[in-house]
């Protein structure tokens, strides 16, 4: 495909994504009640310590996920931790803005930046889902095992 044709394809995809973002935001009950003045008031009165703690926790979560993807990608290619970190941020941001179709931004971005096939990245994404599911089942099993339940009284 010629570069002129690619430009139109990318422009069309960008317009489609922007349309999805606007559509999702306009249909969201949270955004219908959004007030910029209220947001500014809340931010002015917020505790800087709490805001920094929330930011640090969020970024730590993205960094840990980037390390996990680095470990998953190890057999395929030595990936840049920075690219994986940025991929996490872009991926989760796109899920918020576009919805579930945004889930594929993360593997697509990393595949493009690292020069690996998209099929490999989708496989890593699926592997991540398997690990997440196993951990969820283990946490649920531990919670059931450790909880106190009285079957006679019907409460825990």
């Amino acid at each position: 495909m010629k570069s002129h044709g690619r430009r139109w394809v990318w422009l069309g995809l960008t317009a489609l994504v922007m349309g999805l973002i606007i559509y999702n935001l306009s249909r969201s009950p949270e955004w219908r009640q959004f007030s910029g003045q209220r947001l500014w008031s809340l931010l002015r009165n917020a505790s800087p310590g709490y805001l920094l703690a929330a930011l640090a926790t969020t970024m730590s979560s993205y960094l840990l996920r980037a390390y996990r993807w680095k470990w998953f990608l190890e057999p395929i290619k030595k990936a840049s931790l920075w690219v994986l970190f940025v991929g996490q941020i872009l991926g989760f941001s796109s899920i918020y803005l576009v919805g579930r179709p945004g889930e594929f931004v993360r593997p697509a971005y990393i595949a493009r930046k690292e020069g690996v096939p998209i099929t490999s990245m989708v496989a890593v994404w699926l592997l991540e889902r398997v690990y997440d599911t196993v951990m969820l089942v283990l946490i649920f099993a531990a919670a059931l095992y450790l909880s106190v339940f009285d079957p006679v009284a019907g409460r825990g």
Side-chain angles (χ1 to χ4, degrees), residues 73-132:
L73 276 171
E74 198 77 22
I76 301 168
K77 182 182 182 184
K78 294 254 186 220
S80 162
L81 185 62
W82 178 251
V83 169
L84 296 172
F85 180 70
V86 171
Q88 301 302 318
I89 294 171
L90 287 175
F92 284 102
S93 299
S94 65
I95 291 170
Y96 176 74
L97 291 173
V98 182
R100 278 297 165 193
E103 186 80 43
F104 294 103
V105 167
R106 182 172 34 159
Y109 173 80
I110 295 170
R112 182 168 172 92
K113 288 293 188 180
E114 289 295 330
V116 295
I118 189 71
T119 53
S120 298
M121 293 311 303
V122 171
V124 168
W125 176 71
L126 287 172
L127 182 63
E128 180 189 40
R129 292 294 176 247
V130 168
Y131 272 66
D132 288 346

Side-chain angles (χ1 to χ4, degrees), residues 18-38:
M18 291 302 292
L20 277 172
I21 290 170
I22 292 168
Y23 175 76
N24 281 340
L25 291 179
S26 69
R27 308 236 339 137
S28 168
E30 293 86 13
W31 279 100
R32 287 184 190 159
Q33 299 170 4
F34 178 77
S35 165
Q37 289 176 333
R38 185 162 185 257

